Amino acid sequence: MLKPFVAVLARDLLLAWRGRADVLVTLGFFVIVACLFPFGVGAEPNQLRAIAPGILWVAALLATLLSLHRLFGQDFADGTLEHLLLSPEPTVLWVLAKILAYWLTTSLPLVVAAPGLGMLFDMEQGGLMVLCLSLALGTPILSLLGAVGAALTLGLRGGGMLLALLVLPLFVPVLIFGAGAVEAHLSGTGASAHLLLLSGGALGALVLGPWACAAALRVAAE
Amino acid sequence: MTMQSSRGFHLFHFAAPNTFYPLAGRLAPWFAGLAALLAALGLWLAFFVAPTDATQGEVYRVIFIHVPAAWMSMFVYLVMAFWSGMGIIFNTRLSALMARALAPTGAMFCFVALWTGALWGRPTWGAYWVWDARLTSQLLLLFLYFGYIALTEAIEDPRRGDRAGAILALVGAVNVPIIYFSVKWWNTLHQGASVSLTKAPSMAATMLWGMLIMALAAWAYTIAVALWRVRSLILERERHTDWVSAELDRQGARP
C-alpha cells in the first residue's frame, strides 16, 4: 500500500532536485514580493511592523499560486499522468504523494525563509516563531486546495489566470487565520486559537482535498 | 426541475433533455408571469404602503430589493451545488446543464445585492463600502460565481466542462460556510460592530410582507430564467440529434 506512495514521492523529489532552479525561483519571488511593499507604503518602522504578517502571508499565497502549475503540468504534457491514472494503485494515494512532494519543495523553503524576511520588517522574536508555525500549518491547506484548482485547469488556455480566480477566494480563510495568528500573538491575546483552527483546516483539507483532486484529474485526463 | 420526483412511474423521466425541453417551455412562461405579478405587488407594498422608517428615513426601502437578492444569491449557489452533486452521482446530463443555467442568475443577484448595499451604505454609514463581514463574504461569493462561470466556459469539451464545474461547485459549497465564519471572526478582531446589519429594529408587518413577496418574486424569476436558459443549452448540446432537428423545423428556425 505504501510502496506507490513512496515511489511517487521519491520520483517527484528527484525531479525537483534536478530542476533546482524552479524551486529557487519560487523562493526568489516570495522574497522580492515581500521586499516591494516598503517601497509602496513607506519605510516607517511602526507601520511596517504592523503590516508585516499580512504581507508575508500574501506573498506566500502568491508564490504558492504561481508555482501550482508545476504540480501536474509536466506529467500531463508528457503522458505520465495518464499512466498513473491507468495504474491499479489508488489514485488518492499517489495524488497525496505528489502534493506532499510539492509542499516539501515549494512551501517548506518559504516557511524556512519567512523569519529572515520578518526581521527585515522588524518583527519581534516571538512573532517570528508564530509566523513560522502558522505558515507551516497553513501552507499544506494552500497546497491541497491549490492542487484541486490545478487539476481542474489542467491543459486549458489561460489556465494561470483562471487558476487564480478559482483558488484565491478559497484561500481567504487561511490568510485570515494565518496572519491573524501572528497579530494575536503580538497583541498579547495568544495565537493558540488561530493555530488550532489552522491545524483543523489542514486536517480537513487532508481528508477531502486528495479526493476532489483525484476526481478532477480523472475528468481532465479523459 | 423538481417535477421528476412527482411522477411516480419513472423517477428519471424528465432527466432526459428531450423530455425536459418541452416541459421547461411550458413551465417557464407561468413562472415569468408569476414573477411579474409578485414583483408588482411587492414593489407596490414597498413604495406606497410600507411606512417610512423612523431612524433611516426613505432610504431603507432599498431592502425590498437588497435582501431578496442577497438571499437568492446564496440560495442559488446551494441549488447549483445540489444539481452538481446529482450530476456526479447519477451521471445525468441535464443536472450539469441546470447548474450552468443557474450560475449567471446567481451572479447577477449577488451583484445586485452588493450594488444596492453600496447605495444604501452611502447615506446610512457615510461610505459606499466597508469591510463588514457580510459585505466581504458576499463579495467572495461573487468571485466564486465568476470562477465557476469562467471555468465552465474555458473548457471546450462540454462533458469535461460539466464535470469540472460540478467539482468546483461542490468544493465551493463546502468552503462557503468556512469563508463566512472566518470573515466574520476577522472582522470582529479588527473593528467593533459599529455598522452591524443585524441590529435591525423590529419591522412593521407591511415591511416584512413586502420583503417576503419580493423574495418569492425573485424565486419565480430565477426559475423562469433558468428554464429558458437551460432550453437554449439543451438545443446547443443536443444539436446533432434527430429530435432537435425536428424541433427546429417545427419552429421554422431553419431555412
Side-chain angles (χ1 to χ4, degrees):
Chain A
M1 188 71 174
L2 219 56
K3 232 174 114 188
F5 180 85
V6 175
V8 171
L9 181 65
R11 169 185 173 274
D12 275 24
L13 287 178
L14 184 65
L15 280 176
W17 178 249
R18 296 267 159 83
R20 290 184 287 278
D22 267 7
V23 175
L24 289 176
V25 164
T26 308
L27 192 58
F29 175 84
F30 175 62
V31 173
I32 284 182
V33 166
C35 289
L36 275 181
F37 278 85
F39 297 111
V41 299
E44 214 277 303
N46 278 327
Q47 193 184 11
L48 285 184
R49 214 175 293 135
I51 57 175
I55 287 173
L56 292 178
W57 256 97
V58 170
L61 210 134
L62 292 177
T64 307
L65 179 73
L66 288 183
S67 58
L68 274 174
H69 67 93
R70 278 217 313 271
L71 194 46
F72 301 116
Q74 192 63 41
D75 289 347
F76 182 68
D78 65 12
T80 313
L81 201 66
E82 229 161 298
H83 278 277
L84 280 169
L85 281 167
L86 287 173
S87 75
E89 314 300 342
T91 314
V92 175
L93 202 64
W94 58 258
V95 163
L96 195 60
K98 286 187 87 64
I99 296 172
L100 178 62
Y102 167 80
W103 183 80
L104 286 173
T105 54
T106 312
S107 301
L108 199 57
L110 304 188
V111 177
V112 175
L117 284 173
M119 281 182 225
L120 288 185
F121 288 92
D122 196 26
M123 281 173 68
E124 63 155 277
Q125 210 77 40
L128 292 178
M129 277 294 295
V130 176
L131 175 70
C132 238
L133 206 55
S134 74
L135 278 170
L137 289 170
T139 45
I141 310 180
L142 301 185
S143 302
L144 287 157
L145 278 177
V148 181
L152 285 173
T153 54
L154 212 50
L156 298 182
R157 273 180 289 112
M161 295 312 281
L162 189 57
L163 183 59
L165 189 58
L166 296 191
V167 297
L168 284 183
L170 304 179
F171 282 177
V172 168
V174 186
L175 177 63
I176 288 173
F177 293 124
V182 186
E183 262 164 42
H185 174 81
L186 293 178
S187 68
T189 47
S192 58
H194 290 82
L195 294 177
L196 284 173
L197 276 166
L198 275 181
S199 328
L203 289 177
L206 186 65
V207 173
L208 295 175
W211 289 96
C213 188
L217 281 177
R218 266 186 226 113
V219 169
E222 244 168 32
Chain B
M1 273 176 78
T2 50
M3 296 305 282
Q4 61 192 37
S5 55
S6 63
R7 301 295 173 104
F9 59 90
H10 193 334
L11 194 62
F12 290 103
H13 179 68
F14 285 114
N18 56 346
T19 51
F20 188 72
Y21 179 84
L23 178 72
R26 274 202 299 278
L27 288 178
W30 288 98
F31 280 107
L34 192 64
L37 210 66
L38 286 170
L41 182 64
L43 288 176
W44 175 69
L45 275 178
F47 286 107
F48 298 107
V49 181
T52 306
D53 189 80
T55 50
Q56 299 178 14
E58 298 293 345
V59 74
Y60 92 94
R61 290 182 200 275
V62 79
I63 64 159
F64 291 106
I65 294 175
H66 175 75
V67 173
W71 281 346
M72 213 58 215
S73 65
M74 286 179 256
F75 185 67
V76 166
Y77 200 88
L78 288 183
V79 177
M80 250 172 65
F82 168 76
W83 284 117
S84 299
M86 293 292 271
I88 288 178
I89 294 166
F90 295 113
N91 205 15
T92 43
R93 279 173 298 169
L94 193 59
S95 308
L97 293 183
M98 216 52 219
R100 278 188 180 207
L102 283 164
T105 310
M108 186 275 285
F109 274 123
C110 213
F111 185 76
V112 167
L114 285 170
W115 190 264
T116 52
L119 292 181
W120 177 82
R122 178 69 187 158
T124 317
W125 297 336
Y128 286 112
W129 182 265
V130 292
W131 289 93
D132 175 70
R134 291 191 181 203
L135 276 75
T136 314
S137 44
Q138 190 78 18
L139 184 68
L140 290 172
L141 183 65
L142 183 65
F143 292 155
L144 288 181
Y145 273 118
F146 284 163
Y148 176 86
I149 296 171
L151 180 69
T152 49
E153 293 299 319
I155 300 176
E156 273 166 25
D157 174 26
R159 287 301 284 158
R160 185 187 163 189
D162 285 353
R163 288 188 194 160
I167 293 171
L168 182 67
L170 286 175
V171 171
V174 170
N175 273 285
V176 161
I178 299 176
I179 290 175
Y180 178 72
F181 285 110
S182 65
V183 168
K184 207 170 161 181
W185 203 28
W186 160 75
N187 178 261
T188 52
L189 281 177
H190 278 246
Q191 58 185 67
S194 57
V195 287
S196 169
L197 285 170
T198 49
K199 288 187 299 185
S202 55
M203 261 191 264
T206 40
M207 292 186 196
L208 191 65
W209 275 110
M211 221 158 77
L212 287 178
I213 288 171
M214 285 303 284
L216 287 177
W219 273 61
Y221 166 82
T222 306
I223 294 173
V225 172
L227 287 177
W228 265 314
R229 205 175 279 129
V230 86
R231 266 165 69 90
S232 328
L233 285 172
I234 288 173
L235 283 187
E236 197 187 341
R237 194 65 68 82
E238 305 271 306
R239 61 183 178 277
H240 307 299
T241 58
D242 290 339
W243 76 266
V244 170
S245 319
E247 177 67 27
L248 290 180
D249 285 338
R250 197 181 62 75
Q251 292 183 3
R254 285 201 304 196

XYZ file of all heavy atoms in Angstrom, chain B residues 61-138:
626
model
N -35.932 51.758 1.988
C -36.760 50.993 1.044
C -35.945 50.152 0.069
O -36.493 49.295 -0.617
C -37.667 51.942 0.263
C -38.763 52.539 1.134
C -39.687 53.429 0.342
N -40.416 54.334 1.209
C -41.540 54.018 1.831
N -42.077 52.825 1.651
N -42.142 54.879 2.621
N -34.641 50.387 0.025
C -33.800 49.578 -0.853
C -33.745 48.118 -0.379
O -33.482 47.214 -1.167
C -32.380 50.195 -0.952
C -31.558 49.854 0.254
C -31.694 49.739 -2.221
N -34.072 47.879 0.893
C -34.023 46.490 1.373
C -35.017 45.599 0.648
O -34.834 44.396 0.589
C -34.302 46.366 2.899
C -35.706 46.813 3.236
C -33.261 47.053 3.730
C -36.198 46.248 4.556
N -36.073 46.181 0.067
C -37.048 45.339 -0.629
C -36.441 44.690 -1.869
O -36.949 43.698 -2.367
C -38.284 46.154 -1.020
C -39.086 46.575 0.166
C -39.078 47.883 0.606
C -39.821 45.634 0.878
C -39.803 48.255 1.721
C -40.547 46.004 1.995
C -40.532 47.321 2.424
N -35.369 45.263 -2.372
C -34.628 44.619 -3.460
C -33.368 43.961 -2.919
O -33.019 42.845 -3.303
C -34.278 45.654 -4.547
C -35.571 46.146 -5.189
C -33.363 45.047 -5.598
C -35.398 47.245 -6.182
N -32.728 44.643 -1.984
C -31.423 44.191 -1.499
C -31.511 42.833 -0.798
O -30.763 41.913 -1.126
C -30.870 45.244 -0.536
C -29.600 44.858 0.122
N -28.397 44.874 -0.548
C -29.326 44.436 1.381
C -27.449 44.482 0.284
N -27.977 44.204 1.451
N -32.414 42.713 0.149
C -32.453 41.486 0.956
C -32.873 40.268 0.118
O -32.212 39.223 0.181
C -33.359 41.690 2.188
C -33.543 40.392 2.943
C -32.760 42.742 3.100
N -33.952 40.360 -0.695
C -34.260 39.197 -1.534
C -33.116 38.818 -2.468
O -32.851 37.626 -2.669
C -35.489 39.647 -2.332
C -36.130 40.679 -1.491
C -35.011 41.391 -0.818
N -32.408 39.805 -3.009
C -31.285 39.497 -3.911
C -30.178 38.771 -3.154
O -29.603 37.804 -3.654
C -30.749 40.783 -4.536
N -29.901 39.212 -1.921
C -28.843 38.572 -1.139
C -29.238 37.139 -0.777
O -28.436 36.210 -0.906
C -28.562 39.380 0.128
N -30.506 36.964 -0.348
C -30.980 35.598 -0.056
C -30.820 34.702 -1.274
O -30.317 33.598 -1.205
C -32.460 35.633 0.334
C -32.714 36.063 1.733
C -31.798 36.153 2.740
C -33.970 36.465 2.277
N -32.417 36.585 3.883
C -33.732 36.785 3.634
C -35.255 36.587 1.768
C -34.749 37.213 4.474
C -36.264 37.009 2.604
C -36.017 37.325 3.939
N -31.295 35.230 -2.398
C -31.324 34.437 -3.625
C -29.916 34.064 -4.071
O -29.679 32.938 -4.509
C -32.025 35.268 -4.715
C -32.809 34.460 -5.698
S -34.058 33.464 -4.896
C -34.013 32.051 -5.944
N -28.970 35.019 -3.934
C -27.617 34.740 -4.417
C -27.000 33.581 -3.642
O -26.291 32.756 -4.211
C -26.744 35.986 -4.283
O -26.585 36.308 -2.927
N -27.300 33.504 -2.326
C -26.745 32.403 -1.542
C -27.473 31.102 -1.852
O -26.864 30.041 -2.000
C -26.841 32.715 -0.051
C -25.838 33.741 0.392
S -26.001 34.117 2.135
C -26.811 35.681 2.081
N -28.798 31.207 -1.984
C -29.590 30.001 -2.209
C -29.262 29.381 -3.571
O -29.156 28.161 -3.691
C -31.077 30.354 -2.118
C -31.971 29.156 -2.212
C -31.967 28.215 -1.203
C -32.791 28.966 -3.301
C -32.772 27.096 -1.292
C -33.599 27.857 -3.394
C -33.586 26.918 -2.383
N -29.090 30.228 -4.591
C -28.808 29.703 -5.930
C -27.508 28.910 -5.935
O -27.401 27.883 -6.610
C -28.771 30.856 -6.964
C -28.155 30.400 -8.266
C -30.176 31.375 -7.217
N -26.511 29.361 -5.132
C -25.258 28.608 -5.101
C -25.484 27.213 -4.531
O -24.937 26.227 -5.023
C -24.190 29.344 -4.282
C -22.804 28.868 -4.609
C -22.088 29.447 -5.640
C -22.243 27.791 -3.932
C -20.838 28.977 -5.981
C -20.993 27.315 -4.273
C -20.304 27.915 -5.292
O -19.070 27.430 -5.645
N -26.330 27.131 -3.499
C -26.631 25.816 -2.924
C -27.346 24.932 -3.938
O -27.060 23.741 -4.062
C -27.493 25.978 -1.670
C -26.779 26.529 -0.448
C -27.727 26.572 0.743
C -25.580 25.666 -0.123
N -28.306 25.522 -4.676
C -29.030 24.741 -5.687
C -28.062 24.266 -6.765
O -28.128 23.113 -7.218
C -30.174 25.577 -6.296
C -30.872 24.800 -7.386
C -31.170 25.972 -5.237
N -27.142 25.150 -7.140
C -26.121 24.769 -8.127
C -25.302 23.583 -7.633
O -25.043 22.626 -8.364
C -25.175 25.952 -8.344
C -25.274 26.626 -9.668
S -24.256 28.109 -9.615
C -22.634 27.404 -9.440
N -24.886 23.655 -6.368
C -24.100 22.566 -5.792
C -24.936 21.283 -5.749
O -24.431 20.194 -6.009
C -23.618 22.941 -4.396
N -26.256 21.447 -5.440
C -27.142 20.277 -5.405
C -27.193 19.604 -6.774
O -27.011 18.392 -6.888
C -28.539 20.717 -4.957
C -29.594 19.678 -5.161
C -29.689 18.600 -4.304
C -30.487 19.769 -6.223
C -30.662 17.628 -4.493
C -31.455 18.806 -6.420
C -31.543 17.733 -5.558
N -27.426 20.397 -7.819
C -27.502 19.799 -9.162
C -26.159 19.235 -9.580
O -26.097 18.211 -10.274
C -27.990 20.825 -10.193
C -29.462 21.057 -10.092
C -30.072 22.228 -9.779
C -30.519 20.097 -10.288
N -31.426 22.062 -9.749
C -31.734 20.766 -10.065
C -30.554 18.752 -10.618
C -32.960 20.130 -10.158
C -31.773 18.115 -10.710
C -32.959 18.810 -10.482
N -25.062 19.861 -9.144
C -23.736 19.325 -9.460
C -23.549 17.957 -8.815
O -23.064 17.023 -9.458
C -22.652 20.274 -8.958
O -22.772 21.520 -9.583
N -23.975 17.851 -7.549
C -23.887 16.564 -6.866
C -24.735 15.514 -7.555
O -24.292 14.379 -7.759
N -25.968 15.897 -7.939
C -26.842 14.970 -8.662
C -26.171 14.486 -9.950
O -26.233 13.309 -10.296
C -28.169 15.653 -9.015
C -29.037 15.984 -7.836
S -29.665 14.516 -7.040
C -31.161 14.272 -7.968
N -25.540 15.443 -10.653
C -24.888 15.102 -11.916
C -23.761 14.103 -11.709
O -23.578 13.184 -12.511
N -23.001 14.275 -10.610
C -21.883 13.366 -10.350
C -22.398 11.996 -9.920
O -21.919 10.948 -10.365
C -20.954 13.963 -9.276
C -20.176 15.141 -9.872
C -19.992 12.919 -8.757
C -19.267 15.821 -8.888
N -23.455 11.988 -9.072
C -23.940 10.724 -8.532
C -24.664 9.905 -9.605
O -24.387 8.729 -9.813
C -24.876 10.968 -7.331
C -24.087 11.588 -6.173
C -25.521 9.671 -6.876
C -24.955 12.168 -5.093
N -25.623 10.553 -10.305
C -26.457 9.795 -11.236
C -25.981 9.885 -12.681
O -26.559 9.253 -13.562
C -27.909 10.282 -11.155
C -28.546 10.026 -9.824
C -28.885 11.061 -8.990
C -28.783 8.727 -9.403
C -29.457 10.827 -7.758
C -29.353 8.478 -8.171
C -29.692 9.528 -7.350
N -24.930 10.710 -12.907
C -24.410 10.877 -14.250
C -25.489 11.316 -15.247
O -25.542 10.850 -16.376
C -23.748 9.579 -14.725
C -22.706 9.854 -15.788
O -22.305 11.004 -15.961
N -22.299 8.841 -16.507
N -26.387 12.200 -14.794
C -27.423 12.717 -15.694
C -26.898 13.965 -16.388
O -26.290 14.816 -15.758
C -28.686 13.085 -14.899
O -28.296 13.777 -13.713
C -29.467 11.848 -14.530
N -27.141 14.044 -17.687
C -26.617 15.178 -18.445
C -27.306 16.476 -18.045
O -26.725 17.538 -18.035
C -26.845 14.946 -19.940
C -25.824 14.062 -20.574
C -26.233 13.753 -21.976
N -27.501 13.017 -22.003
C -28.198 12.798 -23.100
N -27.792 13.263 -24.240
N -29.319 12.113 -23.052
N -28.610 16.364 -17.741
C -29.397 17.565 -17.509
C -28.964 18.309 -16.239
O -29.052 19.537 -16.187
C -30.877 17.182 -17.418
C -31.862 18.333 -17.483
C -31.693 19.095 -18.774
C -33.276 17.802 -17.383
N -28.483 17.560 -15.234
C -28.145 18.187 -13.950
C -27.087 19.263 -14.125
O -27.219 20.374 -13.614
C -27.636 17.135 -12.978
O -28.541 16.073 -12.903
N -26.036 18.930 -14.886
C -24.959 19.899 -15.084
C -25.475 21.097 -15.878
O -25.073 22.237 -15.619
C -23.795 19.246 -15.805
N -26.370 20.839 -16.840
C -26.933 21.957 -17.605
C -27.720 22.877 -16.693
O -27.687 24.101 -16.833
C -27.831 21.432 -18.724
C -27.139 20.661 -19.836
C -28.140 20.258 -20.899
C -26.052 21.519 -20.458
N -28.450 22.272 -15.755
C -29.235 23.054 -14.801
C -28.309 23.950 -13.957
O -28.596 25.142 -13.763
C -29.967 22.061 -13.891
C -31.336 22.449 -13.450
S -32.409 22.910 -14.772
C -33.234 24.256 -13.946
N -27.182 23.362 -13.497
C -26.230 24.148 -12.699
C -25.684 25.302 -13.528
O -25.582 26.434 -13.062
C -25.094 23.251 -12.208
N -25.340 25.013 -14.789
C -24.816 26.064 -15.661
C -25.849 27.158 -15.907
O -25.516 28.335 -15.991
C -24.430 25.472 -17.009
C -23.091 24.840 -17.010
C -22.735 24.471 -18.425
N -21.434 23.862 -18.453
C -20.641 23.904 -19.511
N -21.028 24.515 -20.608
N -19.460 23.337 -19.471
N -27.121 26.738 -16.042
C -28.165 27.714 -16.332
C -28.409 28.632 -15.140
O -28.807 29.784 -15.302
C -29.459 26.994 -16.720
N -28.142 28.127 -13.928
C -28.410 28.919 -12.730
C -27.299 29.925 -12.427
O -27.552 30.979 -11.846
C -28.576 27.992 -11.517
C -29.921 27.273 -11.414
C -29.808 26.123 -10.433
C -31.000 28.235 -10.961
N -26.052 29.588 -12.826
C -24.904 30.389 -12.388
C -25.015 31.878 -12.742
O -24.797 32.719 -11.865
C -23.607 29.791 -12.941
N -25.350 32.256 -13.993
C -25.400 33.692 -14.292
C -26.447 34.429 -13.462
O -26.215 35.572 -13.037
C -25.760 33.733 -15.778
C -25.380 32.406 -16.304
C -25.606 31.443 -15.192
N -27.591 33.776 -13.200
C -28.620 34.425 -12.385
C -28.123 34.629 -10.958
O -28.352 35.687 -10.354
C -29.902 33.573 -12.375
O -30.230 33.247 -13.718
C -31.038 34.331 -11.746
N -27.437 33.629 -10.413
C -26.886 33.765 -9.071
C -25.894 34.903 -8.995
O -25.924 35.721 -8.072
N -24.995 34.971 -9.999
C -24.004 36.043 -10.016
C -24.696 37.397 -10.133
O -24.298 38.374 -9.486
C -23.030 35.837 -11.178
N -25.766 37.446 -10.937
C -26.492 38.709 -11.113
C -27.094 39.167 -9.786
O -26.948 40.336 -9.400
C -27.581 38.507 -12.173
C -28.328 39.749 -12.583
S -29.690 40.138 -11.498
C -30.892 38.928 -11.997
N -27.742 38.252 -9.069
C -28.345 38.619 -7.781
C -27.261 39.054 -6.790
O -27.460 39.976 -5.986
C -29.150 37.462 -7.213
C -30.565 37.421 -7.719
C -31.058 36.307 -8.369
C -31.408 38.505 -7.541
C -32.360 36.280 -8.846
C -32.702 38.486 -8.010
C -33.178 37.368 -8.663
N -26.124 38.359 -6.840
C -25.008 38.711 -5.961
C -24.577 40.152 -6.231
O -24.374 40.944 -5.305
C -23.852 37.759 -6.260
S -22.866 37.356 -4.864
N -24.457 40.481 -7.505
C -24.035 41.830 -7.886
C -25.088 42.854 -7.469
O -24.752 43.929 -6.952
C -23.795 41.874 -9.395
C -23.250 43.193 -9.858
C -21.923 43.509 -9.627
C -24.056 44.107 -10.500
C -21.414 44.725 -10.034
C -23.557 45.326 -10.909
C -22.226 45.631 -10.677
N -26.359 42.518 -7.681
C -27.439 43.438 -7.304
C -27.402 43.691 -5.796
O -27.547 44.833 -5.335
C -28.808 42.867 -7.735
C -29.942 43.644 -7.085
C -28.951 42.916 -9.238
N -27.174 42.628 -5.027
C -27.130 42.786 -3.568
C -25.990 43.710 -3.163
O -26.157 44.587 -2.309
C -26.971 41.419 -2.907
N -24.810 43.540 -3.797
C -23.671 44.399 -3.463
C -23.929 45.839 -3.872
O -23.626 46.777 -3.141
C -22.415 43.876 -4.162
C -21.791 42.625 -3.570
C -20.724 42.080 -4.492
C -21.195 42.936 -2.221
N -24.496 46.010 -5.068
C -24.724 47.345 -5.614
C -25.746 48.114 -4.773
O -25.512 49.259 -4.371
C -25.202 47.205 -7.059
C -25.250 48.491 -7.801
C -26.337 49.294 -7.980
C -24.157 49.135 -8.460
N -25.987 50.394 -8.702
C -24.652 50.338 -9.013
C -22.803 48.818 -8.631
C -23.853 51.207 -9.725
C -22.012 49.691 -9.346
C -22.533 50.866 -9.875
N -26.878 47.479 -4.495
C -27.903 48.162 -3.697
C -27.390 48.380 -2.274
O -27.725 49.382 -1.647
C -29.197 47.335 -3.661
O -28.888 46.001 -3.248
C -29.885 47.299 -5.000
N -26.541 47.441 -1.789
C -25.956 47.621 -0.471
C -25.084 48.867 -0.423
O -25.110 49.631 0.545
N -24.312 49.080 -1.505
C -23.457 50.264 -1.571
C -24.312 51.531 -1.598
O -24.001 52.519 -0.922
C -22.568 50.193 -2.810
N -25.401 51.494 -2.363
C -26.271 52.676 -2.456
C -26.918 52.977 -1.108
O -27.152 54.129 -0.760
C -27.358 52.444 -3.511
C -26.867 52.378 -4.950
C -28.031 52.182 -5.894
C -26.092 53.638 -5.308
N -27.207 51.924 -0.350
C -27.812 52.109 0.964
C -26.763 52.560 1.967
O -27.030 53.374 2.850
C -28.440 50.788 1.400
C -29.045 50.821 2.756
C -30.291 51.287 3.094
C -28.448 50.362 3.981
N -30.485 51.154 4.438
C -29.385 50.593 5.001
C -27.223 49.780 4.288
C -29.118 50.256 6.323
C -26.959 49.454 5.610
C -27.922 49.690 6.601
N -25.536 52.036 1.811
C -24.487 52.328 2.773
C -24.034 53.773 2.742
O -23.677 54.328 3.775
N -24.058 54.394 1.556
C -23.566 55.766 1.422
C -24.330 56.740 2.341
O -23.697 57.423 3.154
C -23.643 56.187 -0.046
C -23.201 57.596 -0.316
C -21.714 57.779 -0.104
N -21.349 59.182 -0.219
C -20.269 59.733 0.290
N -19.431 58.980 0.952
N -20.016 60.993 0.142
N -25.662 56.819 2.261
C -26.342 57.741 3.179
C -26.389 57.238 4.631
O -26.451 58.044 5.553
C -27.757 57.850 2.605
C -27.928 56.681 1.743
C -26.582 56.242 1.282
N -26.348 55.912 4.836
C -26.526 55.398 6.184
C -25.215 55.341 6.962
O -25.140 55.766 8.110
C -27.146 53.986 6.139
O -28.186 53.994 5.176
C -27.711 53.607 7.492
N -24.167 54.793 6.331
C -22.876 54.675 7.011
C -21.913 55.779 6.602
O -20.844 55.922 7.187
C -22.203 53.336 6.662
C -22.954 52.137 7.106
C -23.858 52.062 8.119
C -22.859 50.822 6.552
N -24.328 50.787 8.221
C -23.743 50.008 7.274
C -22.109 50.256 5.529
C -23.902 48.662 6.998
C -22.265 48.922 5.255
C -23.161 48.134 5.985
N -22.234 56.482 5.521
C -21.319 57.504 5.035
C -20.233 56.966 4.126
O -19.287 57.660 3.803
N -20.340 55.676 3.720
C -19.347 55.115 2.802
C -20.027 54.085 1.911
O -20.939 53.385 2.355
C -18.212 54.463 3.582
N -19.565 54.019 0.658
C -20.150 53.018 -0.244
C -19.767 51.603 0.167
O -20.501 50.664 -0.075
C -19.686 53.268 -1.679
C -20.344 54.458 -2.313
C -19.631 55.610 -2.612
C -21.698 54.442 -2.622
C -20.230 56.700 -3.197
C -22.315 55.530 -3.208
C -21.581 56.649 -3.485
O -22.183 57.728 -4.050
N -18.597 51.493 0.736
C -18.112 50.155 1.055
C -17.429 50.167 2.412
O -16.615 51.049 2.697
C -17.118 49.684 -0.008
C -16.621 48.304 0.253
C -15.474 47.964 0.916
C -17.264 47.093 -0.105
N -15.377 46.601 0.992
C -16.458 46.038 0.364
C -18.437 46.766 -0.773
C -16.795 44.717 0.195
C -18.765 45.442 -0.955
C -17.945 44.435 -0.472
N -17.781 49.228 3.285
C -16.993 48.988 4.493
C -16.666 47.507 4.489
O -17.375 46.705 3.889
C -17.768 49.356 5.780
C -17.975 50.852 5.869
C -19.081 48.620 5.836
N -15.566 47.144 5.173
C -15.168 45.729 5.166
C -15.935 44.979 6.251
O -15.363 44.355 7.128
C -13.657 45.598 5.332
C -12.960 46.058 4.105
C -12.494 47.313 3.860
C -12.685 45.297 2.929
N -11.950 47.370 2.606
C -12.045 46.146 2.016
C -12.915 43.971 2.549
C -11.638 45.738 0.760
C -12.503 43.564 1.296
C -11.882 44.437 0.422
N -17.247 45.081 6.152
C -18.128 44.358 7.057
C -18.144 42.888 6.660
O -17.965 42.543 5.486
C -19.530 44.973 6.951
C -20.537 44.211 7.772
O -20.461 44.289 8.996
O -21.386 43.525 7.178
N -18.373 42.015 7.643
C -18.300 40.581 7.368
C -19.267 40.157 6.266
O -18.925 39.402 5.365
C -18.578 39.803 8.645
N -20.488 40.689 6.325
C -21.477 40.259 5.331
C -21.118 40.734 3.934
O -21.235 40.000 2.961
C -22.849 40.809 5.699
C -23.389 40.162 6.931
C -24.826 40.536 7.086
N -25.341 39.922 8.289
C -26.618 39.682 8.493
N -27.488 40.021 7.576
N -27.014 39.119 9.604
N -20.675 41.986 3.845
C -20.315 42.516 2.532
C -19.157 41.726 1.942
O -19.161 41.362 0.771
C -19.909 43.992 2.638
C -21.023 45.019 2.619
C -21.745 45.029 3.942
C -20.480 46.393 2.319
N -18.153 41.451 2.804
C -16.964 40.781 2.303
C -17.284 39.366 1.844
O -16.827 38.935 0.785
C -15.888 40.755 3.406
O -15.824 42.053 3.983
C -14.547 40.417 2.840
N -18.086 38.644 2.636
C -18.375 37.270 2.207
C -19.262 37.269 0.962
O -19.159 36.370 0.122
C -18.985 36.448 3.341
O -19.958 37.173 4.022
N -20.114 38.293 0.830
C -20.923 38.396 -0.399
C -20.021 38.632 -1.619
O -20.224 38.042 -2.679
C -21.917 39.552 -0.249
C -22.969 39.632 -1.330
C -24.075 38.620 -1.124
O -24.240 38.092 -0.033
N -24.804 38.310 -2.168
